[in-house]
Amino acid sequence: LPYLIKDNVNGYTLEPHDFKGVAKRVNYVLDTINSQEIKKIEETNRLFGLQTSWSKVAQNMYHFYEEAKGGKS
């Protein structure tokens, strides 16, 4: 989901099937839940959520999939 998740900005990205990486990242977040880093990510996502509607998300996903399959949107 690199079109939606920006590493260390509004979440964390990992390689596909990196289950150990997911476990490490979850533990990291739980261990640092009150840190400035996590608070900043929370605030970034809160602000994004206030500016995003489900219809806009659906429209963006439609365009993404159309572009991925080589169609026009």
Side-chain angles (χ1 to χ4, degrees):
L1 299 169
Y3 57 91
L4 185 60
I5 305 298
K6 304 298 179 208
D7 199 32
N8 294 314
V9 175
N10 65 339
Y12 301 104
T13 59
L14 299 163
E15 293 298 316
H17 309 292
D18 182 5
F19 306 112
K20 288 183 181 181
V22 171
K24 283 177 141 178
R25 190 57 73 175
V26 167
N27 284 329
Y28 172 77
V29 170
L30 292 173
D31 289 343
T32 60
I33 197 71
N34 293 315
S35 70
Q36 287 300 110
E37 176 186 7
I38 301 302
K39 296 295 181 193
K40 186 175 179 184
I41 289 172
E42 289 174 352
E43 181 65 7
T44 299
N45 287 317
R46 188 185 73 77
L47 293 173
F48 177 77
L50 291 174
Q51 299 172 5
T52 305
S53 67
W54 280 114
S55 60
K56 182 70 172 170
V57 170
Q59 182 182 33
N60 288 342
M61 291 301 295
Y62 173 79
H63 291 302
F64 171 78
Y65 284 113
E66 283 296 308
E67 186 177 304
K69 71 176 189 175
K72 294 182 181 181
S73 53

